[in-house]
């Protein structure tokens, strides 16, 4: 009789909703004199259009003190308090000793609610973004990342938009303030405080420092619904100076974390390409020596379709063979039941990572937020291990056929066209030639 799966008890948060809509979650843990804080915004993606780049600009400007405390003084005090803080447009994370928690919370609230955005600093960061854009003009990995998003979602979707030098140059301090105060709002925010705290004091301090944060009702745009390509196709982006080919094989998926298939998908992805010993990595790296690493990932998204993707980098001469080998491994997991050994390895690997993660305070905060924003059952993480252990070989094959869309892949290649185009045009798989289309480095079809 198999041993009963251990239950992970992460603590049930004490929940308060402030008058401005901010949801406060408190998890007591007195093992160490430490406190972990996570402020997260549950905001739908929005099109930035001609203001594309304003979010990235705010990411660079955020955490520069407040209107009452200059940047240097702010950073000096944070260092003195030995706190580790990261402030971004979509939230804040911090860790500190419990005795310094009240002051660190006050500083975070001040910096988040009254950010110190200055013209001179903004122009400096704009120049940095432009410099990065120029440096990446011939960077195969940067081009691949951008084009994959654009082809997968289109520029009609927020995830498919990309930054241009023209957009960045046109951004003003007014744009920065307007975007920040329209999107950084309490009515869709979650604040998780975990660690050595008194819940009553936490509620009092949060009410005091975040109570003035004004709720803003921002109309939600209807998101464009992206679709997969009707048949698997190769999308070539010619980069004449490339010595290697960046390969991305991807499709959109309809999957949420609360879907019964989620745990089976974790295991199936792990076996196909999620770990070092996966089918794809063993084939391309160990058997053929085509690459240093080949991996697959999948991502769920609350607001829109998720995605599955395979990523690797190979020499020009083996670009076409590498693609064929990857497709063979996808077909293998769809048509051949995985071995008991492979299933057990994948479960052990995943459960080891999960148990290790639960020892980190940030993980507890992330899980508490996920349960709220992803509409997960309260016992989702308590039963995580049991759910992983319950995945069968048949489950793996079933989800592999449902979410690894062998007939609807975009095979995106950024590489030297003069060396690889002819072979790519002649790739045959399952007795059928895969059509090829050419695009520029921004995802426009040639």
């Amino acid at each position: 009789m198999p041993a009963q799966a251990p239950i992970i008890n992460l603590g049930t948060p004490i929940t308060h909703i402030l008058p401005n809509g901010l949801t406060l979650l408190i998890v007591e843990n007195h093992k160490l004199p430490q406190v972990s804080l996570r402020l997260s915004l549950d905001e739908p993606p929005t099109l930035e259009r001609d203001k594309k780049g304003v979010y990235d600009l705010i990411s660079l400007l955020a955490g520069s003190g407040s209107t009452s405390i200059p940047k240097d003084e702010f950073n000096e005090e944070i260092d003195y308090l030995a706190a580790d803080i990261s402030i971004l447009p979509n939230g804040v994370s911090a860790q500190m000793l419990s005795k310094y928690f009240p002051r660190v919370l006050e500083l975070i609230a001040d910096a988040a609610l009254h950010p110190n955005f200055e013209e001179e600093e903004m122009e400096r960061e704009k120049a940095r973004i432009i410099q990065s854009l120029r440096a990446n003009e011939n960077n195969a990995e940067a081009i691949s990342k951008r084009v994959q998003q654009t082809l997968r979602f289109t520029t009609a979707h927020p995830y498919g938009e990309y930054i241009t030098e023209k957009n960045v140059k046109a951004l003003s301090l007014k744009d920065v303030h307007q975007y920040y105060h329209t999107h950084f709002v309490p009515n869709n925010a979650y604040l998780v405080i975990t660690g050595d705290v008194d819940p009553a004091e936490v509620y009092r301090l949060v009410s005091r420092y975040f109570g003035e944060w004004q709720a803003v009702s921002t109309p939600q745009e209807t998101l464009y619904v992206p679709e997969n390509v009707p048949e698997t196709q190769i999308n070539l982006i010619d980069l004449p100076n490339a010595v290697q080919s960046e390969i991305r094989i991807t499709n959109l998926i309809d999957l949420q974390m609360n879907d019964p298939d989620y745990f089976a998908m974790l295991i199936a992805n792990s076996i196909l390409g999620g770990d070092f010993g996966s089918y794809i990595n063993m084939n391309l790296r160990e058997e053929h020596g085509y690459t240093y690493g080949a991996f697959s990932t999948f991502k769920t998204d609350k607001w829109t379709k998720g995605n599955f993707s395979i990523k690797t980098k190979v020499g020009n001469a083996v670009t076409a063979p590498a693609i064929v080998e990857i497709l063979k491994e996808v077909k293998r997991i769809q048509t051949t039941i995985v071995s008991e050994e492979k299933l057990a390895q994948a479960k052990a690997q995943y459960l080891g990572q999960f148990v290790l993660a639960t020892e980190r305070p940030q993980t507890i905060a992330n899980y508490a937020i996920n349960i709220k924003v992803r509409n997960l059952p309260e016992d989702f993480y308590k039963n995580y291990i049991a759910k992983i252990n319950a995945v069968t070989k048949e489950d793996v094959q079933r989800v592999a056929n449902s979410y690894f869309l062998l007939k609807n892949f975009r095979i995106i290649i950024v590489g030297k066209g003069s060396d690889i185009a002819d072979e790519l045009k002649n790739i045959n798989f399952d007795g059928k030639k895969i059509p090829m289309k050419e695009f520029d480095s921004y995802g426009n079809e040639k």
Side-chain angles (χ1 to χ4, degrees), residues 256-390:
Q256 295 296 332
M257 285 183 74
N258 58 9
D259 192 300
D261 283 348
Y262 179 74
F263 292 97
M265 184 64 166
L266 289 175
I267 298 302
N269 179 69
S270 179
I271 292 168
L272 177 66
D275 292 317
F276 184 83
S278 68
Y279 285 1
I280 291 172
N281 197 54
M282 286 296 101
N283 180 322
L284 267 66
R285 178 190 162 108
E286 301 301 308
E287 186 182 338
H288 288 97
Y290 288 161
T291 181
Y292 288 113
F295 300 96
S296 68
T297 57
F298 77 95
K299 181 181 178 185
T300 63
D301 192 290
K302 173 183 175 177
W303 304 105
T304 188
K305 291 184 180 181
N307 60 78
F308 165 73
S309 61
I310 299 166
K311 173 183 176 181
T312 193
K313 183 187 297 187
V314 301
N316 295 348
V318 297
T319 302
I323 291 168
V324 172
E325 291 304 319
I326 291 171
L327 297 180
K328 281 181 184 176
E329 295 301 342
V330 176
K331 185 178 180 182
R332 174 186 171 193
I333 199 170
Q334 290 182 340
T335 57
T336 307
I337 291 284
V338 300
S339 67
E340 288 285 359
E341 183 187 12
K342 201 73 180 167
L343 183 68
Q345 283 176 352
K347 288 180 179 180
Q349 176 98 358
Y350 217 91
L351 292 176
Q353 293 170 355
F354 174 72
V355 172
L356 200 63
T358 59
E359 295 174 4
R360 295 194 293 267
Q362 312 95 292
T363 302
I364 297 172
N366 291 342
Y367 289 173
I369 290 171
N370 274 351
I371 286 170
K372 293 290 183 185
V373 304
R374 293 297 192 104
N375 193 28
L376 304 177
E378 290 293 330
D379 60 0
F380 183 84
Y381 291 103
K382 289 179 183 177
N383 295 330
Y384 202 93
I385 291 175
K387 294 282 190 183
I388 289 287
N389 280 332

Side-chain angles (χ1 to χ4, degrees), residues 47 149-161 224 226-227:
L47 284 165
Q149 286 294 93
T150 300
L151 292 181
R152 194 155 57 188
F153 290 100
T154 82
T155 53
H157 192 285
Y159 294 163
E161 288 188 298
Y224 170 78
E227 297 293 340

Side-chain angles (χ1 to χ4, degrees), residues 33-37 81-85 93-105 108 193:
Q34 294 177 345
V35 180
S36 181
L37 175 153
L81 298 171
D84 183 13
I85 293 180
S93 61
Q95 286 182 281
M96 70 225 72
L97 292 171
S98 47
K99 63 180 178 179
Y100 296 137
F101 168 68
R103 178 57 179 160
V104 174
L105 183 70
I108 287 173
I193 310 289

Side-chain angles (χ1 to χ4, degrees), residues 13-30:
I14 298 166
T15 305
H16 299 279
I17 298 178
L18 274 63
N20 60 7
L22 174 64
T23 300
L24 171 64
L25 305 167
I26 308 166
V27 180
E28 279 187 90
N29 184 333
H30 300 288

Side-chain angles (χ1 to χ4, degrees), residues 232-245:
T232 290
Q233 58 179 247
I234 293 167
N235 298 160
L236 173 64
I237 295 88
D238 180 26
L239 189 62
N241 65 338
V243 292
Q244 287 186 307
S245 296

